[in-house]
């Protein structure tokens, strides 16, 4: 059964380690295709989306293997150029492989990307970037086909900021002939991590982290070798779990400087935090202030990926809070499920008003996407009684061991196997790695 059960009502206490970042690892995996040899990503999260990307690389001819949490990708013979819908439909990030395929082989054909249903999620900006680099692209009913000789450097000015399209442009430009200037780029940390990885492979890139990125194409790249950074969204989710249950939680391996907007909100609602000996130590016991208006924004603003987890926290705070979702048009799916648990959330278009403070109670709820699913787990931890969260596989797309981590903090969580994780894991000082 694709479900977990949670007995809520206990504050979380203890220490957990933050897994490697999904959104950093996936484009780095795509970048690994640009070298005809072995690349390695250390501390790569073992999550469904990474396994899916690994499967796609293998479909293209790569040989991959794991050594503990290090993912090795030998792309010497990864000369396939077609990725069927059966693969691409599972994951949004599959689309950025198009730039990598064009950079490597001059052609690529793939199904349309899937991923979380949180809005329309067009790919026009991705295709615009590749067309500007000289690709000829046909958009069929089921497949996108692209051809080029060698891509040619150009000026690419994005109409809107997009993380994926910026990554697409970078992946296309690093092996293109000549220079590329990408303007109005997204500034999310994952773009900097991708550029750092590519620079380690020999790419010439400047300006990442800012609006304009300059790339001088090179003839070839060598193997990549990098530690995957900590996942800022997982870290934020665990801090929300701490706030929702009014607990005290320390994160080892926290993402440094990438959570500022979130932490500012944490403080506004009454949470406290400090960085001590490399740990991010949070105290949610004073969380009590409703939030008059929070808008999600592109980085460095408040991340849309933490909007649903924060909504679960706000549902526990007396008074009216207001969230406006500015990035995706349909990202309030968790609200209806939270209401079944007793939350008072009204959604109108991009706005959600949360009338918080009524006690949450356990019931059966359904995760429909990754971050909304995580929000249901947090609400369940704060609720009285037992909650069954169905659709657990959505959550596994991005969280490597959310149940084990929260159980290590004292959460009472049962997987469908019938294992009471809390009974098995009493001491919260253990790190997640000990539960492999
Ligand atoms: C990435 C993240 C996702 C996060 C999002 C915003 C990965 C794997 N996923 O998704 O977790 O929620 O950034 O921080 O890194 N858009 C277009 N045309 C395009 C591309 C995007 O109109 O060609 C729009 C989208 O519909 C959305 C906005 O741009 O409204 C931002 O999307 P984008 O930054 O591209 O998100 P993703 O890269 O898909």
């Amino acid at each position: 059964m694709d479900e977990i059960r949670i007995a809520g009502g206990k504050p979380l206490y203890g220490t957990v380690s933050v897994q490697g970042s999904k959104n950093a690892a996936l484009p780095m995996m795509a970048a690994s295709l640009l070298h005809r040899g072995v690349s390695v990503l250390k501390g790569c999260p073992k999550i469904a989306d990474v396994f899916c990307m690994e499967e796609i690389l293998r479909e293209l001819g790569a040989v991959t293997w794991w050594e503990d949490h290090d993912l090795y990708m030998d792309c010497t013979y990864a000369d396939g150029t077609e990725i069927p819908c059966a693969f691409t439909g599972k994951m949004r990030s599959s689309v950025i492989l198009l730039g990598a395929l064009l950079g490597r082989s001059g052609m690529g054909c793939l199904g349309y990307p899937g991923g979380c249903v949180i809005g329309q999620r067009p790919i026009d900006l991705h295709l615009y970037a590749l067309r500007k680099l000289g690709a000829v692209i046909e958009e069929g009913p089921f497949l996108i086909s692209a051809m080029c000789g060698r891509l040619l450097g150009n000026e690419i000015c994005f109409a809107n900021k997009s993380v994926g399209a910026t990554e697409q442009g970078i992946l296309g430009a690093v092996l293109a002939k000549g220079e590329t200037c990408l303007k109005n780029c997204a500034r999310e940390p994952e773009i900097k991590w991708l550029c750092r990885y590519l620079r380690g492979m020999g790419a010439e890139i400047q300006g990442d982290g800012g609006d304009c990125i300059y790339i001088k194409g090179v003839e070839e790249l060598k193997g990549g070798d990098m530690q995957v950074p900590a996942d800022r969204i997982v870290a934020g989710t665990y801090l929300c779990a701490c706030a929702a249950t009014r607990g005290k939680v320390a994160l080892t391996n926290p993402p440094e400087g990438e959570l500022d907007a979130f932490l500012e909100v944490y403080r506004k609602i009454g949470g406290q935090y400090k960085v001590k000996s490399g740990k991010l130590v949070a105290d949610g016991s004073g969380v009590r202030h409703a939030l008059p208006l929070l808008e999600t924004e592109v980085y460095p603003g408040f991340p849309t990926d933490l909007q649903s987890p924060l909504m679960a926290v706000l549902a526990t705070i007396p008074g009216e809070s207001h969230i406006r979702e500015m990035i995706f048009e349909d990202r309030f799916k968790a609200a209806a499920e939270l209401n079944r648990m007793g939350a008072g959330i009204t959604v109108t278009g991009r706005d959600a008003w949360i009338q918080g403070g009524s006690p949450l109670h356990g019931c059966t709820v359904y995760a429909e996407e990754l971050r909304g699913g995580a929000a249901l787990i947090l609400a369940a931890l704060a609720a009285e009684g037992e909650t069954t969260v169905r659709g657990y596989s959505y959550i596994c797309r991005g969280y490597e061991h959310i149940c084990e981590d929260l159980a290590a903090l004292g959460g009472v969580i049962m997987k469908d196997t019938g294992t009471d994780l809390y009974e098995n894991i009493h001491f919260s000082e253990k790190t997640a790695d000990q539960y492999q």
Side-chain angles (χ1 to χ4, degrees):
M1 288 273 281
D2 182 22
E3 67 180 39
I4 55 172
R5 284 181 291 132
I6 298 164
K10 282 182 61 173
L12 299 184
Y13 290 108
T15 303
V16 278
S17 170
V18 180
Q19 69 179 64
S21 162
K22 165 176 97 70
N23 289 354
L26 294 172
M28 289 178 186
M29 291 175 75
S32 305
L33 262 185
L34 295 172
H35 165 64
R36 290 172 193 276
V38 181
S39 294
V40 56
L41 289 177
K42 296 181 175 141
C44 193
K46 291 184 172 176
I47 50 176
D49 275 15
V50 163
F51 295 140
C52 180
M53 187 64 106
E54 186 188 2
E55 223 182 313
I56 294 176
L57 294 180
R58 292 170 90 113
E59 171 76 10
L60 293 171
V63 177
T64 65
W65 68 96
W66 290 85
E67 290 181 13
D68 192 10
H69 267 72
D70 300 342
L71 172 61
Y72 288 80
M73 295 157 285
D74 182 349
C75 294
T76 309
Y77 303 111
D79 290 313
T81 54
E82 284 183 31
I83 310 173
C85 311
F87 292 106
T88 60
K90 287 186 193 161
M91 189 177 58
R92 172 77 183 173
S93 275
S94 54
V95 70
I96 57 169
L97 286 160
L98 192 55
L101 288 177
L102 289 174
R104 179 182 172 112
S105 306
M107 64 171 80
C109 178
L110 71 168
Y112 286 90
C116 285
V117 184
I118 52 181
Q120 288 192 358
R121 309 191 84 178
I123 54 167
D124 55 323
L125 299 172
H126 292 251
L127 303 187
Y128 158 76
L130 296 176
R131 284 188 171 117
K132 286 292 269 186
L133 293 172
V136 176
I137 302 178
E138 261 183 48
E139 295 168 73
F142 304 110
L143 293 173
I144 312 160
S145 311
M147 293 278 285
C148 61
R150 184 177 172 191
L151 290 170
L152 296 175
N154 201 349
E155 182 172 298
I156 298 171
C157 185
F158 292 110
N160 297 307
K161 287 191 192 296
S162 156
V163 177
T166 302
E167 291 166 349
Q168 184 81 271
I170 294 167
L171 289 169
V174 284
L175 285 178
K177 187 171 165 28
E179 295 181 13
T180 296
C181 172
L182 297 138
K183 293 185 174 169
N184 198 26
C185 293
R187 294 161 57 190
E188 268 65 2
E190 293 74 27
I191 289 166
K192 287 195 78 162
W193 293 114
L194 171 64
C195 291
R196 193 173 293 183
Y197 183 61
L198 283 164
R199 270 194 293 269
M201 295 170 77
E204 293 193 26
I205 308 174
Q206 288 180 343
D208 43 300
D211 282 348
C212 294
I213 299 177
Y214 305 92
I215 298 173
K216 197 168 164 198
V218 295
E219 293 297 318
E220 61 176 12
L221 294 173
K222 54 185 195 236
D225 182 343
M226 210 173 96
Q227 181 76 28
V228 176
D231 194 309
R232 64 192 172 103
I233 305 303
V234 171
T237 304
Y238 290 177
L239 295 179
C240 283
C242 169
T245 63
R246 310 297 189 267
K248 291 182 184 170
V249 168
L251 302 179
T252 55
N253 185 35
E256 267 178 49
E258 296 183 357
L259 270 177
D260 292 357
F262 171 82
L263 290 172
E264 200 184 310
V265 169
Y266 207 71
R267 214 165 237 163
K268 275 189 193 159
I269 60 175
Q272 292 181 0
Y273 69 90
K274 61 184 174 198
V275 178
K276 197 176 157 196
S277 316
K279 288 183 188 169
L280 179 57
V281 184
D283 181 350
S285 60
V287 166
R288 61 178 179 282
H289 303 301
L291 209 53
L293 174 63
L294 172 80
E295 294 192 358
T296 59
E297 289 174 65
V298 295
Y299 192 83
F302 189 92
T304 171
D305 286 358
L306 286 173
Q307 177 257 104
S308 298
L310 181 71
M311 182 184 274
V313 178
L314 296 176
T316 68
I317 301 177
E320 187 176 80
S321 295
H322 179 189
I323 296 180
R324 183 167 291 153
E325 171 56 53
M326 300 300 288
I327 309 296
F328 293 106
E329 61 273 20
D330 189 16
R331 206 168 197 182
F332 287 134
K333 288 219 168 69
E337 300 304 297
L338 292 171
N339 282 347
R340 284 147 64 95
M341 299 177 72
I345 304 170
T346 311
V347 174
T348 316
R350 287 186 180 270
D351 292 284
W353 282 271
I354 302 115
Q355 202 62 56
S358 316
L360 298 178
H361 54 80
C363 65
T364 298
V365 288
Y366 297 82
E368 289 182 65
E369 42 92 13
L370 167 60
R371 307 300 172 188
L376 300 180
I377 294 184
L378 308 192
L381 288 166
E384 285 300 323
E386 189 175 293
T387 301
T388 299
V389 179
R390 298 219 162 120
Y392 179 58
S393 50
Y394 284 109
I395 300 164
C396 297
R397 293 186 43 197
Y399 295 90
E400 185 171 352
H401 24 50
I402 191 168
C403 291
E404 290 80 353
D405 286 349
L406 295 173
L409 297 172
V412 182
I413 303 185
M414 313 259 290
K415 277 189 178 165
D416 51 357
T417 54
T419 319
D420 181 338
L421 293 164
Y422 180 64
E423 287 204 337
N424 296 338
I425 303 165
H426 292 287
F427 299 104
S428 50
E429 285 299 321
K430 288 184 179 178
T431 65
D433 277 341
Q434 290 170 270
Y435 304 116
Q436 293 309 307

